[in-house]
Amino acid sequence: MNSHGQYEQQVVWVVVGTDIGPLLLAATHDGLVNVVFHATDAVRDKALDRLASRLGSEPVEAPDSPLLAEAIQQMTAYFAGELRDFELPLDWSLISGFNRQVLRELASGVPYGAVVGYGDLAGRVGQPRAAQAVGVAMGSNPLPVVVPCHRVVESNGGIGGFGGGLETKRKLLALEGVLPEPLF
């Protein structure tokens, strides 16, 4: 318990190397809570400060934590092409409301190797005119890769935006066979 009588959430983290660069993985007792792209020292420190502020506990680097072991193993298998579906407990506490509803639908309803349009995803959650709001939800996704916002594309065939950068989105879609592998 902290000085305000609130229970603090233990947060552990690790940075793992992947084909799309270093990813910060953070977890609580409830599950994986955050995945951060391009986890250089500066990006990592900013993300950890944000987690401390949001969750009320200073994140602790713990590469051997049992709370992270399965996430590390599954992330490694995904990038090796050996895993199509993440089966991890997720802590959804960093997101709420419409954004959480959209991300849960994305996680459960858009399988590996498939894509969905922003408007189509909006329709799936009963808000067919909320394509732009779906874009906002994708941009606020605290669990990218695991909750596959890279699978959301424009209805006209465009790739759309991506918080991890368009090159990262292209690499993830190529890994899943949606796009051809880059030539160089």
Side-chain angles (χ1 to χ4, degrees):
M1 226 182 271
N2 65 19
S3 61
H4 303 291
Q6 300 169 315
Y7 285 98
E8 289 186 0
Q9 176 80 280
Q10 181 190 12
V11 183
V12 294
W13 65 273
V14 66
V15 173
V16 295
T18 72
D19 294 348
I20 58 169
L23 292 178
L24 179 139
L25 306 178
T28 67
H29 286 291
D30 292 331
L32 190 66
V33 71
N34 203 198
V35 176
V36 178
F37 290 114
H38 314 299
T40 60
D41 290 349
V43 170
R44 180 201 66 213
D45 291 347
K46 185 176 179 181
L48 293 173
D49 287 346
R50 194 170 48 247
L51 278 171
S53 172
R54 297 279 309 274
L55 298 176
S57 177
E58 199 63 40
V60 175
E61 184 174 17
D64 296 326
S65 171
L67 298 175
L68 290 165
E70 189 62 24
I72 294 167
Q73 187 277 323
Q74 287 190 33
M75 197 66 72
T76 301
Y78 172 80
F79 283 104
E82 300 165 357
L83 179 81
R84 291 175 168 248
D85 300 308
F86 288 96
E87 294 183 16
L88 295 169
L90 301 178
D91 179 338
W92 293 93
S93 63
L94 295 178
I95 196 128
S96 62
F98 177 80
N99 291 357
R100 183 187 288 191
Q101 182 184 11
V102 169
L103 291 171
R104 283 183 178 270
E105 173 59 30
L106 174 64
S108 65
V110 182
Y112 182 98
V115 294
V116 64
Y118 292 94
D120 293 335
L121 190 53
R124 289 185 186 193
V125 296
Q127 301 290 328
R129 299 181 191 266
Q132 278 190 304
V134 167
V136 171
M138 295 306 104
S140 65
N141 181 3
L143 295 161
V145 182
V146 177
V147 177
C149 51
H150 60 277
R151 297 179 189 157
V152 183
V153 297
E154 296 174 347
S155 60
N156 66 3
I159 196 167
F162 194 61
L166 293 182
E167 186 58 29
T168 298
K169 186 171 187 172
R170 284 186 189 98
K171 286 180 179 180
L172 290 168
L173 291 173
L175 173 70
E176 295 188 10
V178 175
L179 292 177
E181 290 286 340
L183 296 175
F184 47 89

